[in-house]
Amino acid sequence: MENASGKTKSVLESAKNSFKTILTKPHLFFFSKPFALIYMTYFGTYLTANIIDTASSMRKGTNIKTVTTGTEKFVATSATNMSLGLIKDRNFARLFGTGSPRPVPLPTFILFSARDAMTIGFSFNIPPRLTPYIPTNPLMKPESCAQFLAPAACQILSTPMHLLGLDLYNRGEKPGWKQRLQFIKSNYTQSVLARMCRIIPAFGFGGVANAEMRRNLMDMIQKST
């Protein structure tokens, strides 16, 4: 967001500043408003997904460790992620955007919502469906590989919506579509890479860790009953 708004010259410069803060002043980073907003978004998203998985398994009488991929999970998890994500993005746009804080315009709201819905679908619904098509290998389980690949691949499709939403917020309706397309084109590659670097820890490592933690927790519950 800093790069798209013009506050930093490149994504690398923004990342460098963030890593410098983590290394030299970790308390400022982990207790900052941006970190709290990100933590809130992902914690709420995973909590909702786990609740849906457990409730669905109990209702259907299947193994309690079963991971669902149906519509109810997509709708519930998307609603949670989009609601929390819009709170996050509204605050981020005001923190890192240009000019004085102002309401998020409807087109930006719609674009951010579509972006987040795609991310949820590729992070929670696509990986289990993709797993059977991934060959087994000694390095990584197929389900883990799918969990890394799907959210990362989503960024190739969702980044233009992200950049257009930011541009509509930062520059309003003044620029023409030719200028907007040029803006997206000039920022696309670095933004895709930056968003992949952000999404892989969040829904790649995070998704694998969440699945393992949920399985272990369900095993403990089954053994205690």
Side-chain angles (χ1 to χ4, degrees):
M1 280 197 173
E2 286 185 317
N3 175 243
S5 67
K7 284 195 170 186
T8 57
K9 295 180 180 179
S10 67
V11 172
L12 288 176
E13 181 182 341
S14 179
K16 181 181 177 181
N17 293 337
S18 296
F19 279 119
K20 182 178 180 181
T21 302
I22 294 174
L23 293 174
T24 60
K25 300 176 182 178
H27 61 288
L28 294 181
F29 179 84
F30 289 109
F31 289 97
S32 66
K33 186 174 182 179
F35 182 84
L37 290 166
I38 292 171
Y39 184 87
M40 169 196 72
T41 302
Y42 294 128
F43 179 82
T45 301
Y46 279 116
L47 179 63
T48 302
N50 290 339
I51 290 173
I52 294 297
D53 284 339
T54 304
S56 177
S57 298
M58 293 177 67
R59 187 178 70 249
K60 296 177 181 178
T62 57
N63 191 317
I64 199 170
K65 292 181 286 186
T66 301
V67 176
T68 61
T69 60
T71 303
E72 63 178 355
K73 183 178 183 180
F74 174 74
V75 172
T77 311
S78 293
T80 300
N81 181 262
M82 288 164 60
S83 299
L84 296 175
L86 287 170
I87 295 173
K88 171 180 68 68
D89 286 334
R90 181 174 60 187
N91 281 275
F92 271 26
R94 290 174 176 175
L95 285 170
F96 303 119
T98 56
S100 58
R102 56 196 181 280
V104 175
L106 181 60
T108 296
F109 179 91
I110 293 172
L111 287 164
F112 282 174
S113 297
R115 176 205 63 191
D116 292 341
M118 287 181 62
T119 299
I120 291 301
F122 275 77
S123 300
F124 291 96
N125 294 75
I126 298 297
R129 298 175 183 271
L130 181 62
T131 298
Y133 299 97
I134 297 179
T136 56
N137 63 84
L139 299 177
M140 186 181 295
K141 296 178 181 178
E143 56 266 30
S144 297
C145 187
Q147 189 62 57
F148 280 101
L149 287 175
C154 176
Q155 306 315 304
I156 297 173
L157 303 175
S158 64
T159 294
M161 291 187 289
H162 173 74
L163 291 173
L164 180 58
L166 286 177
D167 193 47
L168 286 167
Y169 179 84
N170 288 324
R171 297 198 292 175
E173 299 180 357
K174 293 181 181 180
W177 281 106
K178 186 176 180 180
Q179 291 176 287
R180 293 199 191 283
L181 290 174
Q182 181 59 40
F183 169 79
I184 293 172
K185 182 179 178 181
S186 62
N187 288 278
Y188 179 77
T189 301
Q190 59 183 350
S191 295
V192 167
L193 294 175
R195 288 181 60 76
M196 283 183 176
C197 290
R198 181 183 70 82
I199 215 70
I200 288 174
F203 288 124
F205 287 105
V208 172
N210 176 71
E212 189 65 29
M213 290 174 62
R214 181 175 178 272
R215 278 195 295 266
N216 291 336
L217 181 59
M218 293 299 104
D219 281 334
M220 292 173 59
I221 293 174
Q222 286 179 324
K223 290 177 182 178
S224 65
T225 56

